[in-house]
Amino acid sequence: IKVTLMMGENSVQPVKPNSPSLEEVLKRTNVAINLEAVPGNFEEKKSALIATNNIPDILQVELKDLQEFAKTGIFLPISDYMEYLPNFQKLIEDRPEINKLKVDGKLYGFPVLEKYRIAVAPQPMIRTDLLEKHNLQVPTTFDELYEVLKALKKEYPDSVPYTTRNGTLSLIGQLAYPMGSGGFPGFSQSPMYYEPDEDKYLYGPIHPDFKKVIAFLNKLYEEELLDPDYAVNTKDMAFEKLSSGRALFYYDNNTFAARQFNPALQQKDPNARIEIIPPLRNDEGQIRSYRYQRDWLTKMYAISSKVKDPVAIVKLYDWLYSEEGTMVSNFGVEGVHYDLVDGVPVVKQSLADQFKNQGDINSAIRSEIGLGLLSYAVHVDETWDALITDKYMLEMGEHIDRYTEMGHIQFMPYDPPFTQDETDQLKKLETKVNTLFQQEIDKFIMGARPMSEFDDFVQKLIDSGAPEIENIYNAAYERVRE
């Protein structure tokens, strides 16, 4: 069986159509995949093919493509073929977010799932060497964090105890959910978030707990504990402060400390280090925080409804989700491309030597063999990255996984899928309400407006349509809730 699969190409990992891994897929499944990778203008080409109902057998898509065009009958409803998908069904049993990919109750694409990747999360990161030097305890609550920042400011008057990158929304987004409220998760521009205690989506700023977040930031700002440039900070500005030792705490990606800040700090002081600390308890007694979304659910592979043998292609994808298919699509052929050492796939030394002068050896190997996320894999295993990653990165990843298992760190949820009418309504409402929010919120943090006026500000957000935004989100959520 021959099928054509079209996908976008990432310049980090060029795609080779006749890669060794695809030859192994043919050997094991009797399916020859003709991989067409489109560099640069993939979105444009994909849209043209969908619009003319001329798509290849398999096409890399996003949810918006399925929402807009599934009703035309162009894509195969794979949920009608679940009897041929035992491996896939097993993987999605504990993934309720998959329901958000459904269109009118049906699934039209195979999503890219993760088997293993090093955990990354926005978490509290602090100069633990300075805590030890001044006999300060690692903070366990937000009140304790305030006291620690205050003590560090006293010891280092010229310091910026707490800095952040990418402005106000990023600052609020990292703190709001852990402090018991929510809004701006990740790099979202929206104050909407999913509140697990109520099992619904909320427009964070109009609910009482959000006021505590702004009051906390206002206190930090007025006492010069928060970076005075927080609202205009770029990534480079924040990184310079943390790398030079001027800034002592941030609440953001743990990876930055290992890759940028600590190496720079330790050039001046070998003992200097910024380390991850456990998630903080809020004043309601909750310990909760985010890690980035599980899987790559916005990246899917849809099958054309015109294929001659849909069952064969469905079975191919079920095999790719299996243990055997996962190994082939992520590591290649055992004994040729990798060896199993204590159950761990380790790249063959000959391959490592072949690409040892490449800046990114793993991407070079994956490009040559045809492996992983940036190739055709749908069950991604990034074990090879762990084998060459900094030891501290692995320790932090284990820390995040441990607190995830404890329930103190949760995966950021995906938004529910919206109809075109809902999308149009949201655009109008969010433009109005979010603009009002962004125009005023820094005034409260910086003290230009007193917190006594915050309730009046909330009422204006309500009057401008914030509850209507909530209604649209929750109506969409109801359609996909189990």
Side-chain angles (χ1 to χ4, degrees), residues 228-239:
D229 299 323
Y230 79 86
V232 296
N233 260 356
T234 62
K235 178 180 177 181
D236 289 343
M237 290 168 65
F239 278 27

Side-chain angles (χ1 to χ4, degrees), residues 97 114 117 289-295 401 404 409-414:
E97 294 286 87
E114 65 178 75
R117 61 172 160 168
S289 61
Y290 280 135
R291 63 187 289 179
Y292 292 111
Q293 292 163 323
R294 186 182 186 189
D295 306 315
D401 286 333
T404 300
I409 298 178
Q410 296 87 39
F411 288 97
M412 289 181 188
Y414 291 84

Side-chain angles (χ1 to χ4, degrees), residues 418-431 472:
F418 303 107
T419 65
Q420 188 58 52
D421 182 55
E422 288 170 336
T423 299
D424 294 340
Q425 291 182 59
L426 282 174
K427 186 175 181 179
K428 293 177 183 177
L429 286 166
E430 289 182 329
T431 297
I472 293 172

Side-chain angles (χ1 to χ4, degrees), residues 326-341:
T326 298
M327 294 299 289
V328 169
S329 58
N330 286 281
F331 306 111
V333 182
E334 184 179 359
V336 178
H337 304 119
Y338 72 92
D339 294 313
L340 282 177
V341 180

Side-chain angles (χ1 to χ4, degrees), residues 98-358:
I98 293 292
N99 287 321
K100 294 178 181 177
L101 304 180
K102 293 179 179 177
V103 179
D104 293 336
K106 291 192 175 185
L107 198 60
Y108 288 88
F110 288 109
V112 179
L113 308 180
E114 65 178 75
K115 179 179 181 182
Y116 170 77
R117 61 172 160 168
I118 302 170
V120 178
Q123 289 293 298
M125 307 288 298
I126 198 166
R127 283 287 299 273
T128 51
D129 60 308
L130 298 183
L131 299 187
E132 293 171 5
K133 181 177 179 180
H134 300 291
N135 296 314
L136 297 170
Q137 295 296 313
V138 172
T140 61
T141 68
F142 286 95
D143 288 339
E144 290 177 8
L145 174 63
Y146 161 73
E147 295 295 342
V148 165
L149 295 177
K150 192 173 180 180
L152 289 173
K153 182 69 174 179
K154 184 177 180 180
E155 295 289 344
Y156 304 95
D158 296 330
S159 70
V160 178
Y162 181 177
T163 195
T164 186
R165 62 174 173 139
N166 297 338
T168 306
L169 303 189
S170 177
L171 171 68
I172 295 173
Q174 309 297 23
L175 288 185
Y177 183 75
M179 292 189 75
S181 180
F184 309 106
F187 294 100
S188 169
Q189 297 294 301
S190 172
M192 290 299 301
Y193 80 104
Y194 174 75
E195 177 51 66
D197 287 348
E198 299 186 40
D199 191 22
K200 62 169 56 173
Y201 286 82
L202 301 178
Y203 192 95
I206 67 173
H207 295 275
D209 286 329
F210 193 85
K211 185 177 181 180
K212 300 176 185 177
V213 180
I214 304 306
F216 180 73
L217 291 172
N218 169 247
K219 180 168 68 171
L220 296 184
Y221 186 86
E222 289 189 341
E223 297 188 27
E224 299 182 355
L225 306 180
L226 177 62
D227 191 337
D229 299 323
Y230 79 86
V232 296
N233 260 356
T234 62
K235 178 180 177 181
D236 289 343
M237 290 168 65
F239 278 27
E240 187 281 325
K241 292 168 186 174
L242 288 157
S243 296
S244 66
R246 285 185 60 213
L248 312 176
F249 172 85
Y250 74 96
Y251 203 123
D252 204 331
N253 290 5
N254 59 291
T255 56
F256 298 148
R259 291 173 176 167
Q260 278 101 2
F261 309 147
N262 288 346
L265 289 168
Q266 288 165 9
Q267 288 181 6
K268 298 177 181 178
D269 179 0
N271 295 317
R273 63 192 186 278
I274 297 175
E275 293 186 301
I276 193 170
I277 62 175
L280 303 172
R281 186 182 300 275
N282 62 37
D283 64 1
E284 295 178 6
Q286 300 169 316
I287 302 176
R288 66 184 211 173
S289 61
Y290 280 135
R291 63 187 289 179
Y292 292 111
Q293 292 163 323
R294 186 182 186 189
D295 306 315
W296 295 268
L297 297 189
T298 56
K299 181 177 182 179
M300 291 178 281
Y301 292 92
I303 301 173
S304 168
S305 59
K306 296 179 181 178
V307 294
K308 295 180 180 179
D309 193 346
V311 171
I313 301 181
V314 167
K315 286 183 174 180
L316 166 69
Y317 270 90
D318 193 62
W319 178 81
L320 287 172
Y321 286 113
S322 72
E323 185 63 28
E324 181 184 15
T326 298
M327 294 299 289
V328 169
S329 58
N330 286 281
F331 306 111
V333 182
E334 184 179 359
V336 178
H337 304 119
Y338 72 92
D339 294 313
L340 282 177
V341 180
D342 296 328
V344 177
V346 177
V347 67
K348 294 287 285 188
Q349 189 60 47
S350 57
L351 266 180
D353 291 341
Q354 181 181 346
F355 296 99
K356 63 182 179 181
N357 294 324
Q358 297 289 329

Side-chain angles (χ1 to χ4, degrees), residues 30 41 52-53 76 87 154 216 222 242 274 278 347 354 385 402 411 414 420 436 462 473 477:
N30 201 35
N41 64 341
T52 57
N53 194 10
L76 188 77
N87 293 301
K154 184 177 180 180
F216 180 73
E222 289 189 341
L242 288 157
I274 297 175
V347 67
Q354 181 181 346
D385 296 288
R402 184 165 62 253
F411 288 97
Y414 291 84
Q420 188 58 52
L436 174 60
I462 292 172
Y473 265 77
Y477 178 45

